[in-house]
Amino acid sequence: MNRTRLLSHVTFALALLVVTAIATPLQAKPIKLTYSIFFPPTHGQCQAGMEWAKEIEKRTDGQVKITVFPGGTLTKANQCYDGVVKGISDIGMSCFAYTRGRFPAMEALDLPLGYPNGIVATKVANDFFQAVQPKELQDVKVLYIHAHGPGLLHTKKPVNSLNDLKDMKIRSTGLSAKVVKSLGGVPVAMPQGATYESLQKGVVEGTFGPIEVLKGWRQAEVIKSTTDCESVGYTTSMFVVMNKKKWAKLPVNIQKIFEAVSQEWIAVHGQRWDMVDKEGREYTLSLGNQIVDLDKSESEKWRHAVRPIIDDYIDSAEKGGISAKANVELLDQLIMKHGAR
């Protein structure tokens, strides 16, 4: 083969390699993200969060890989938000109430406004955030919010009236601590993860929370009675947020997928809250525990007792520059809109 022919073959081969490279682009490395969730892995809300992560991976065709750290193993419940801001985790799920004073506008969500169930509370929380857009959340990308059904009283001995509750030590967090105090109990702050042992050892005599905690956190094993006080039903709102820099680095098409899936998962979490509430109710009854229903007269006493909490919140938040009165009125309207009353 002469030199000219050899050069021709070499040139052709190189051209073929170039064409092949253009036609077959290199597979981009997947975007790897971490997700810190304070719920234990067996909890329905943790499972919903993990399902969200899997759906993101699915819809991005594997371009995004999310490693979930449940049970506060990456950042503890009260450190989760700051952990996202600082980049310890890329995404985080926890409660606003675990860092009291950090989210003054969002605290209005947790007031004892009479939430009837988880789907209503969750829809209200997201509508409220979209309407208010509080400055306190501008250091993260808010993906969505969810909130549990009405917080009820779970105790080691039956509570049929305010007199029964007087001076009882009750585990509570955030504004629910004020609910306990206004009803005559003694609030004791602690995260859900510490509640079982505290009830077991008698450190506290009861806990305020959605009825799902009786199964999700196994607390039905260490209480004997639940007081259905829906008339003062508060919620605890929970964030799912992402580090702002990581969000900004995502391609626009990936951001749209995150937003679409997050919008869908609002209903997923709300329905899951109601499902786990139903399971919690069935579980505690299966262990022989009782559920006390307050009569109309007693319910009104409880409602009257907690009203100062709402008024005090409005007064203090207004002094801090927040349109608290308007925000509470908006929440009442949203609860009505989503079928609470």
Side-chain angles (χ1 to χ4, degrees):
M1 183 181 292
N2 59 40
R3 185 176 179 183
T4 301
R5 201 175 209 179
L6 177 62
L7 286 172
S8 177
H9 281 296
V10 170
T11 302
F12 176 79
L14 289 172
L16 185 62
L17 285 172
V18 171
V19 170
T20 302
I22 293 172
T24 311
L26 291 173
Q27 181 67 38
K29 290 183 179 180
I31 299 166
K32 295 183 178 180
L33 301 171
T34 57
Y35 187 2
S36 176
I37 299 178
F38 85 103
F39 287 106
T42 55
H43 195 286
Q45 295 303 319
C46 183
Q47 291 168 1
M50 291 190 287
E51 290 162 12
W52 173 88
K54 289 294 182 185
E55 188 67 16
I56 295 289
E57 292 183 17
K58 177 183 174 183
R59 294 199 198 178
T60 60
D61 295 322
Q63 293 178 64
V64 175
K65 299 287 186 183
I66 301 174
T67 302
V68 179
F69 295 85
T73 52
L74 183 56
T75 52
K76 294 180 180 179
N78 62 346
Q79 299 170 337
C80 187
Y81 186 89
D82 277 337
V84 172
V85 173
K86 296 174 182 178
I88 298 171
S89 69
D90 300 313
I91 307 165
M93 179 197 296
S94 191
C95 302
F96 291 110
Y98 284 157
T99 45
R100 288 279 296 137
R102 177 74 177 269
F103 308 103
M106 297 303 288
E107 283 179 9
L109 277 166
D110 295 359
L111 290 168
L113 298 173
Y115 293 95
N117 54 53
I119 191 65
V120 168
T122 294
K123 287 179 178 179
V124 167
N126 284 278
D127 284 0
F128 178 77
F129 167 75
Q130 292 298 334
V132 175
Q133 293 289 319
K135 294 180 180 179
E136 62 211 43
L137 291 173
Q138 290 182 354
D139 52 358
V140 295
K141 165 65 180 178
V142 176
L143 295 170
Y144 61 94
I145 300 166
H146 60 96
H148 64 62
L152 305 178
L153 177 64
H154 316 288
T155 51
K156 300 183 77 169
K157 63 180 182 179
V159 171
N160 295 278
S161 67
L162 291 179
N163 288 336
D164 294 337
L165 180 56
K166 186 173 176 58
D167 295 330
M168 286 181 68
K169 293 180 291 182
I170 307 295
R171 173 265 173 198
S172 49
T173 61
L175 282 173
S176 69
K178 292 187 177 182
V179 173
V180 169
K181 187 174 182 180
S182 71
L183 295 174
V186 178
V188 180
M190 69 180 66
Q192 285 290 10
T195 305
Y196 184 100
E197 185 176 1
S198 294
L199 284 164
Q200 189 178 46
K201 293 182 176 180
V203 175
V204 293
E205 300 164 86
T207 179
F208 243 113
I211 200 166
E212 65 84 17
V213 301
L214 300 186
K215 183 176 182 182
W217 295 85
R218 296 173 42 236
Q219 292 170 16
E221 299 173 8
V222 285
I223 62 103
K224 291 296 181 184
S225 179
T226 290
T227 303
D228 193 341
C229 48
E230 189 182 306
S231 60
V232 296
Y234 73 92
T235 190
T236 301
S237 50
M238 303 171 205
F239 56 78
V240 179
V241 298
M242 185 171 180
N243 178 272
K244 218 168 184 180
K245 290 181 180 178
K246 282 293 180 75
W247 172 258
K249 289 181 180 178
L250 293 178
V252 173
N253 66 313
I254 299 294
Q255 288 181 345
K256 289 180 178 178
I257 291 171
F258 268 74
E259 289 178 335
V261 176
S262 295
Q263 184 66 29
E264 293 173 23
W265 250 246
I266 292 170
V268 170
H269 279 274
Q271 291 164 1
R272 195 67 57 87
W273 276 119
D274 288 345
M275 182 188 79
V276 295
D277 270 357
K278 182 175 181 290
E279 291 176 353
R281 181 177 290 269
E282 292 172 350
Y283 181 63
T284 196
L285 291 173
S286 75
L287 295 182
N289 297 332
Q290 66 174 310
I291 296 178
V292 174
D293 293 313
L294 299 178
D295 61 34
K296 186 176 180 180
S297 175
E298 189 66 27
S299 286
E300 284 303 312
K301 290 179 183 178
W302 289 51
R303 190 194 299 274
H304 180 75
V306 302
R307 181 63 211 189
I309 298 173
I310 300 170
D311 295 335
D312 289 348
Y313 167 77
I314 291 172
D315 289 343
S316 62
E318 290 276 356
K319 290 176 183 176
I322 293 169
S323 302
K325 187 173 186 295
N327 287 353
V328 171
E329 290 173 354
L330 172 61
L331 286 169
D332 280 332
Q333 293 167 11
L334 290 172
I335 292 172
M336 289 283 287
K337 172 186 173 182
H338 291 295
R341 298 170 185 164

